[in-house]
Structure formats: structure tokens, C-alpha cells
Amino acid sequence: MGDMEVTRKEEARAEIKIWNYMLGYVKIAVVKCAIELGIADVIENYGSPMPLSELATALRCEPSHLHRIMRFMVHYRIFKQEHINHHTVGFSSTPLSSLLIKGGEKSMVAFILFVSSPTWLAPWHSLSARVLETGNDISPFEVANGKDLWSYAEANPNFSELFNNAMGCDARLTVQATIEGCPEVFDGVKSLVDVGGGNGTALSLLVKAFPWIRGINFDLPHVVAVAPKSDSIENVGGDMFMSIPNADAAFLMWVLHDWDDEECIKILKKCREAIPEDKGKVIIVEAVLEEDKEGDELGAVGLMLDMVMMAITNKRKERTLKEWSYVLQQSGFTRFNVKPIRAVKFVIEAYP
């Protein structure tokens, strides 16, 4: 094969790739459409391959339009198509479509509706300005929506509800993955403070799975004021930059990526002060970027999450293993280990 032919093939592949980039928004738009129509719910409840005619009737959809939507989703293996008889095919569920079932055990519907909302998508049009600006700390989110993320959520109840539902969805999935993948992390932990624990969703799941743990849900006073009360969890209001309640271990899930290195180190130092010197530890659940792994789907998701951080706030970022090592060492931790879980994130155990 000559060099010219190799070049032509590479150019052809590049052209296909750029078309996929250009039309990348189509996937999330179709998935959002499927959620809004309730396609996954109807097919799951049907219990066997569902003919297009019956699906269209159940959803009150125009059959030819629905056929095109289903053809797209079958191509991307969101649903599968099976023969019912010689003349009819039907659609059935897949592990991927089960994530689109409203109220399902592993549903990601709330998160998908949040990240596909107009408010969340608008900042992406200002990403290049964020990269170019050197003295301006205004995030693309603020440029697009007039307020930073937290102020906008406070002023817009509908967006706030989308945000809170998405965070609750993520907490349930990530904590369950942590419980299933790394139960040994909580061995010997009698008290656990969830730093930035919000409404206590994550901590309530942990103390249910590990009933010997006494939980402390720690967040800003106005946040914990509306958190559900529980016999096994104490809600404590405060500022993690000032002090953190004492416990055998501190737990931080998707908190540290909200802060730059300097602030992250301050938080970790306060965590170190809150745990015993001899047997204490900090349990961090975050993404760990792997820059050198080309073609790795999980690694690609981590890199995309980092782009989300850049678009949404002026300080957020995901970190590589080297960057995690830096902030942990600067915070006074002598050793740490990293464990992958069945989620986008990893569990990091850091010891004084």
C-alpha cells in the first residue's frame, strides 16, 4: 500500500470523525427525547419485544417519526431490535436503556435532564473566551446566565430543583458503586464525617450499608437546616475552611474538584486535623484523570468532566494522579492509595 493511499484513507477517516464531532449533540438530544416520551419505561413494562405499532399507540406518537428515533437508538445499542415473527420486529430493553427508566434503581434520568437543560448548555458557547482571558475570573456559565452557578440556582427554583435532583442521582449511583466495589474502606470506621454532605443522601446510604458507623453530615448551616433528621446521623452546620467535626474518617465526594489547589489544600488540612493521627484517614471519591490512555472510554469521560468544570465555574477542575499526589502531600498526608469503582470516579484513601 503506497503512502498516497494511506494518506487518502486517513483523510477519509478524519472526515468521518469530524462529522461525528459536528453532530455530537444529536445523541444527547435524542436520549432526552426518549426520556420525555417515556420510551424506556413503556418497553420495560411491556415485558417482551414491543412492536412499533403498539409502542406508537402507547406513546401517542406518529409511527414514522417514532421509527426514525428507534432506528437511531438501536444503532447506538440503547435498545435492541428482535424478530417477533417472520413479518414483525419488536424493541426490547438493554442495560443502557435501563438507565433511562424514570425512578429505576440505577436511573440517570435526573442527571441527563439537568446536563441537557438550556441553562447548562449555554456556557459552552463562551468556552473559547474563558481560555483566552487571563485576568478575568468570570466563568462561561456566568457570562451566559448572568450569575455564577450557585447564585443562579438560588434565584431560579426550577433550575435548583434540576440541580438537586441530578446531585441526588449521582450520589445514589456513586455511593452504591463505592459500597459494592470498596466495602473494606469502611472497616474499623466507627464515626464518619461527610464534608459537604448536602442533604445527607450519601451518608444515609453509607450508614445503612455499614450500620456500625455513626454519621456526621457537615455542610453550611442553611444546607443542613433542611436536611432530614436521623437517629444514626447528626447534622452539623459550619465552614470547612474553619474547622471540621472530629471523626475516625472524613468523607468527601465530588467536593474537592470545586476548588483550586490552594483551597483544596486548606480543606484537606482541616480534614487531617479532624481525624486521629494514628488510625484516621480521609476518603475521597473523585475522578482521577489518566492523560496517556488513548482510546480509553472511562478516561475520555474524565477528560470531558474536566471540560465541564472549565465551562461551569472559574475554579473547578478534575485532577490527574500526579495532581492528587501534590495536594495530598502539601496537606500533610504521608501515603495514599487509589481504587477504581464501577463509576466515573475513584476512591482515594489518604493517611496522616
Side-chain angles (χ1 to χ4, degrees):
M1 185 183 292
D3 291 345
M4 187 70 71
E5 188 176 349
V6 171
T7 301
R8 281 198 296 267
K9 287 190 174 184
E10 288 176 345
E11 288 174 348
R13 283 195 294 268
E15 194 170 325
I16 293 168
K17 280 188 177 182
I18 202 64
W19 272 102
N20 272 283
Y21 285 132
M22 285 192 292
L23 299 175
Y25 63 88
V26 174
K27 294 179 186 178
I28 185 60
V30 173
V31 167
K32 183 178 183 179
C33 170
I35 290 171
E36 291 173 340
L37 293 175
I39 294 174
D41 305 80
V42 170
I43 290 176
E44 179 71 15
N45 290 335
Y46 193 77
S48 60
M50 191 173 192
L52 178 68
S53 58
E54 292 192 37
L55 182 61
T57 299
L59 297 172
R60 299 170 65 186
C61 288
E62 204 285 316
S64 64
H65 292 164
L66 183 59
H67 162 71
R68 290 159 67 186
I69 291 288
M70 295 306 297
R71 178 176 62 189
F72 182 92
M73 291 194 291
V74 167
H75 176 80
Y76 284 101
R77 299 181 182 179
I78 298 171
F79 295 97
K80 59 184 175 183
Q81 191 168 274
E82 300 180 81
H83 284 281
I84 298 172
N85 54 47
H86 290 300
H87 307 289
T88 310
V89 295
F91 301 101
S92 53
S93 301
T94 67
L96 189 50
S97 70
S98 70
L99 304 178
L100 309 182
I101 297 171
K102 298 167 187 172
E105 184 182 343
K106 295 186 177 180
S107 174
M108 291 195 71
V109 166
F111 213 106
I112 294 167
L113 292 178
F114 173 62
V115 299
S116 61
S117 66
T119 301
W120 194 255
L121 293 175
W124 292 101
H125 297 288
S126 303
L127 186 60
S128 58
R130 174 63 178 155
V131 177
L132 287 168
E133 289 288 347
T134 54
N136 190 347
D137 274 343
I138 298 177
S139 69
F141 185 95
E142 190 170 349
V143 171
N145 297 302
K147 297 177 184 289
D148 65 63
L149 173 63
W150 313 115
S151 300
Y152 186 89
E154 187 176 355
N156 293 269
N158 290 339
F159 178 78
S160 180
E161 183 179 5
L162 274 177
F163 178 81
N164 290 331
N165 289 342
M167 294 304 101
C169 168
D170 176 71
R172 285 189 294 274
L173 294 171
T174 304
V175 171
Q176 191 58 43
T178 304
I179 292 168
E180 292 174 1
C182 300
E184 69 281 359
V185 167
F186 301 95
D187 288 348
V189 175
K190 294 180 180 178
S191 58
L192 182 71
V193 56
D194 187 356
V195 182
N199 64 5
T201 298
L203 191 56
S204 64
L205 293 169
L206 288 172
V207 298
K208 183 179 179 180
F210 310 110
W212 60 85
I213 292 178
R214 178 179 63 85
I216 303 170
N217 182 41
F218 180 68
D219 212 311
L220 294 169
H222 75 273
V223 176
V224 297
V226 295
K229 291 179 171 48
S230 165
D231 291 338
S232 55
I233 296 174
E234 178 187 3
N235 292 312
V236 178
D239 182 346
M240 61 186 172
F241 288 99
M242 300 300 293
S243 67
I244 292 170
N246 292 338
D248 289 341
F251 181 79
L252 301 100
M253 185 175 75
W254 235 5
V255 169
L256 297 176
H257 74 168
D258 287 340
W259 307 96
D260 63 23
D261 286 352
E262 183 180 347
E263 291 166 321
C264 186
I265 290 166
K266 288 179 181 177
I267 296 167
L268 286 168
K269 282 183 176 179
K270 292 300 176 183
C271 289
R272 192 178 183 282
E273 292 172 6
I275 61 174
E277 185 74 25
D278 55 344
K279 61 176 183 177
K281 64 179 172 180
V282 174
I283 304 164
I284 301 165
V285 183
E286 293 266 4
V288 178
L289 301 186
E290 299 179 88
E291 295 177 305
D292 301 327
K293 278 195 171 183
E294 291 186 18
D296 174 36
E297 282 189 297
L298 188 60
V301 173
L303 293 173
M304 284 189 276
L305 280 173
D306 188 50
M307 292 298 96
V308 173
M309 299 298 100
M310 186 182 291
I312 301 306
T313 73
N314 57 2
K315 291 185 177 181
R316 285 184 168 196
K317 70 172 185 176
E318 305 296 352
R319 291 178 169 88
T320 63
L321 189 60
K322 184 177 179 180
E323 289 170 326
W324 278 116
S325 178
Y326 170 77
V327 295
L328 288 167
Q329 287 177 4
Q330 291 298 309
S331 306
F333 292 91
T334 58
R335 61 188 177 92
F336 70 94
N337 55 57
V338 180
K339 301 177 180 181
I341 54 176
R342 275 190 58 199
V344 178
K345 306 178 189 70
F346 292 73
V347 174
I348 303 171
E349 291 178 281
Y351 300 88

